[in-house]
């Protein structure tokens, strides 16, 4: 219950949190360290963690100096649990406000629901402990335990989750609610600007405010919190927007084309992110830029364009519709390298030709290999609709004959026997 004009915030009961930590922020972990360093019975805290994980902590009331919640035990008995934390005195708050108003970064961080280490360090230098220490979290519970019991432990673990989301919860416990704190900081910042006009002056209006000494900035590197881990790669590209609206599109606008373009952009962004997060990405050479014709093939290979868009892409690629279909099949097996092998009748030089023949000779035991007829970079299996093409990259590409034309039949292999195995086994 709120006594008089005392500020109070009430947070709804949090859902169960199986399989996750109670604090991810450094200040949330500091809160839990104070609890775990204070409690005498680790077994009681373990039971408290279980109660909190199971969502047995009710709505949490936060007011200066006190946390309150009803915690339900495993036998369904409900206990009122309180945890007390000493408030800062008026004189201590005065020092804190003076210190915080001197650095706009402190205020900005709080507004972003962050508690920078510098704020805590500066407060400590002013003789103020914002975060609790050993013995600061004092338990009171209707179960009549004299130390931290499972119920007050559960309350503290749940509050760590609240602190992660909003450090103003800690400042309210210390005696100031968010609105009052920000108002007082604003008053002091304004008063300082009036006393020190140079602090907000434009260039030429007066001396510039002092900066941070280089040695101080360098020394602060060790107290900065670690960078957060990179977010995990999504399981699939995001869904493109739907442009199917009742309003007719403007003349010259093709909604289906725009939707296809948006879907392609999502796929490319997903692929780029996957490559950037892959191990050794920084060691990989940059990909060569695609020609407009190659990009039209890539675009068609990425989705399922309708008949109208397919015809436009075929024109952009300089191909017939059937030719675009062949190029798309090649692209899906190996991108530009596969497309080059599909399009070009490459004549290997003497060194490349000797290397290709040596690989063919070594691929099968004597008398076990298929009979091949070679022309330039293409070796066709006699009496079978199967073919190997030797690419400029030194790899072997399988081709199969369909309706009188050779079509790509699989990805490239370093071993010609491996490239041809799937085709011969299915023939």
């Amino acid at each position: 219950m709120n006594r008089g004009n005392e500020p109070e915030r009430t947070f709804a009961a949090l859902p169960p949190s199986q399989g996750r930590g109670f604090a991810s922020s450094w200040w949330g972990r500091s809160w839990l360290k104070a609890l775990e360093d204070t409690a005498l019975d680790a077994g009681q805290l373990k039971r408290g963690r279980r109660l909190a994980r199971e969502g047995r902590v009710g709505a949490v009331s936060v007011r200066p100096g006190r946390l309150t919640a009803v915690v339900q035990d495993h036998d369904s008995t409900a206990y009122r649990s309180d945890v007390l934390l000493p408030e800062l005195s008026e004189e201590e708050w005065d020092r804190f406000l003076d210190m915080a108003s001197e650095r706009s970064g402190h205020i900005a961080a709080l507004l972003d629901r962050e508690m920078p280490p510098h704020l805590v360090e500066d407060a400590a230098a002013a003789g103020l402990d914002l975060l609790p220490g050993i013995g600061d979290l004092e338990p009171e519970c209707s179960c009549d335990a004299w130390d931290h019991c499972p119920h007050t432990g559960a309350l503290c673990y749940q509050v760590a989750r609240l602190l992660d989301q909003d450090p103003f919860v800690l400042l309210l416990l210390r005696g100031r609610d968010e609105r009052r704190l920000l108002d007082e900081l604003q008053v002091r910042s304004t008063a300082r600007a009036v006393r020190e006009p140079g602090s907000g002056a434009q260039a030429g209006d007066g001396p510039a405010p002092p900066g941070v000494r280089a040695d101080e900035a360098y020394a602060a590197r060790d107290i900065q919190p670690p960078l957060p881990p990179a977010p995990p790669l999504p399981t699939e590209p995001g869904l493109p927007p739907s442009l199917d609206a009742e309003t007719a599109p403007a003349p010259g606008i093709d909604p289906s084309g725009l939707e296809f373009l948006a879907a392609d952009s999502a796929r490319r962004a997903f692929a780029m992110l996957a490559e950037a997060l892959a191990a050794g990405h920084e060691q990989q050479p940059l990909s060569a830029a695609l020609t407009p014709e190659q990009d039209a093939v890539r675009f068609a290979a990425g989705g399922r364009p309708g008949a109208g868009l397919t015809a436009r892409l075929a024109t952009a690629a300089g191909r017939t519709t059937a030719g675009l279909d062949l190029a798309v099949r090649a692209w899906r097996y190996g991108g530009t390298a596969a497309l080059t092998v599909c399009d070009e009748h490459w004549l290997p030089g003497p060194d490349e030709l000797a290397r290709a023949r040596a690989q063919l000779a070594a691929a099968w035991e004597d008398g076990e290999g298929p009979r091949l007829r070679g022309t330039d970079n293409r070796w066709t299996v006699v009496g079978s609709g199967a073919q190997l093409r030797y690419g400029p990259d030194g790899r072997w590409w399988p081709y199969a004959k369909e309706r009188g034309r050779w079509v790509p039949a699989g990805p490239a292999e370093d071993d010609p026997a491996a490239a041809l195995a799937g085709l011969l086994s299915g023939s």
Side-chain angles (χ1 to χ4, degrees):
M1 180 181 296
N2 191 351
R3 299 189 299 269
N5 293 323
E6 185 178 74
E8 180 177 359
R9 290 177 67 185
T10 300
F11 297 86
L14 295 176
S17 59
Q18 300 295 336
R20 66 179 295 274
F22 285 98
S24 57
S25 65
W26 73 270
W27 59 90
R29 292 193 294 269
S30 295
W31 168 273
L32 291 182
K33 186 176 187 303
L35 166 68
E36 292 163 357
D37 288 347
T38 298
L40 300 178
D41 189 340
Q44 297 284 65
L45 288 189
K46 184 176 181 180
R47 289 180 56 198
R49 285 195 296 272
R50 190 180 310 120
L51 292 175
R53 286 194 186 282
E54 294 173 359
R56 294 178 178 273
V57 180
V60 178
S61 169
V62 183
R63 55 187 182 276
R66 183 178 292 268
L67 299 165
T68 304
V70 174
V71 181
Q72 190 176 63
D73 215 333
H74 285 107
D75 63 0
S76 299
T77 304
Y79 296 93
R80 169 177 167 146
S81 297
D82 293 75
V83 175
L84 283 59
L85 178 66
E87 299 179 51
L88 299 182
S89 67
E90 289 296 326
E91 186 272 335
E92 288 174 322
W93 271 114
D94 191 60
R95 277 187 281 146
F96 173 83
L97 292 166
D98 272 343
M99 176 274 300
S101 62
E102 288 178 357
R103 292 195 183 184
S104 60
H106 288 341
I107 304 174
L110 287 172
L111 290 174
D112 285 339
R113 295 306 190 261
E114 296 283 338
M115 183 172 286
H118 284 309
L119 175 60
V120 177
E121 294 285 335
D122 290 347
L128 308 170
D129 291 323
L130 290 181
L131 291 164
I134 297 177
D136 284 343
L137 299 176
E138 182 180 344
E140 289 184 359
C141 186
S142 59
C143 75
D144 295 330
W146 61 273
D147 184 31
H148 274 288
C149 61
H151 317 111
T152 58
L155 173 57
C156 286
Y157 280 109
Q158 208 72 313
V159 168
R161 296 173 65 187
L162 299 178
L163 287 172
D164 262 4
Q165 302 167 15
D166 189 353
F168 279 106
V169 172
L170 176 63
L171 297 174
L172 175 56
L173 273 170
R174 289 298 197 183
R176 285 290 193 277
D177 70 324
E178 178 178 353
R179 184 68 269 154
R180 180 181 176 186
L181 180 61
L182 294 178
D183 286 346
E184 291 179 341
L185 286 172
Q186 179 63 41
V187 168
R188 290 176 190 244
S189 297
T190 303
R192 176 170 284 103
V194 172
R195 291 194 307 269
E196 305 169 11
S199 64
Q202 299 295 321
D205 291 344
V212 178
R213 287 171 53 91
D215 57 347
E216 293 179 1
Y218 183 75
R221 71 193 187 281
D222 294 328
I223 64 173
Q224 295 292 335
L227 291 174
L233 182 70
T235 56
E236 58 185 11
L239 294 176
S242 173
L243 302 180
D244 184 13
E246 296 181 359
T247 304
I253 300 298
D254 178 9
S256 63
L258 289 176
E259 288 180 350
F260 197 84
L261 180 62
D264 178 75
S265 299
R267 286 191 296 270
R268 292 185 67 187
F270 181 82
M272 292 170 67
L273 180 59
E275 291 175 4
L277 294 177
H281 168 70
E282 68 280 1
Q283 305 296 331
Q284 299 301 316
L286 295 176
S287 301
L290 301 180
T291 66
E293 293 77 15
Q294 290 172 333
D295 200 43
V297 174
R298 179 203 63 77
F299 199 93
R304 299 180 182 276
L309 187 55
T310 297
R312 290 166 58 187
L313 289 172
T315 300
R319 303 170 186 267
T320 63
T321 301
L324 178 63
D325 177 66
L326 184 66
V328 163
R329 293 178 67 170
W331 186 275
R332 288 174 176 166
Y333 282 128
T336 52
L339 190 60
T340 299
V341 171
C342 180
D343 286 344
E344 297 179 5
H345 205 92
W346 176 55
L347 178 62
D351 291 342
E352 291 91 349
L353 189 59
R355 188 179 305 114
R357 286 173 174 168
Q359 290 179 2
L360 288 169
W364 293 276
E365 297 292 337
D366 291 341
E368 293 184 359
R371 193 155 60 96
L372 300 172
R373 181 178 64 249
T375 304
D376 298 334
N377 70 322
R378 304 179 182 187
W379 278 265
T380 304
V381 178
V382 176
S384 172
Q387 185 183 84
L388 285 173
R389 295 189 181 184
Y390 187 65
D393 57 0
R395 296 185 297 167
W396 297 89
W397 299 83
Y399 272 70
K401 202 161 200 176
E402 291 182 4
R403 299 177 183 176
R405 65 173 185 171
W406 292 104
V407 299
E413 298 282 356
D414 294 326
D415 178 11
L420 202 56
L423 290 177
L424 294 181
S425 63
S427 60

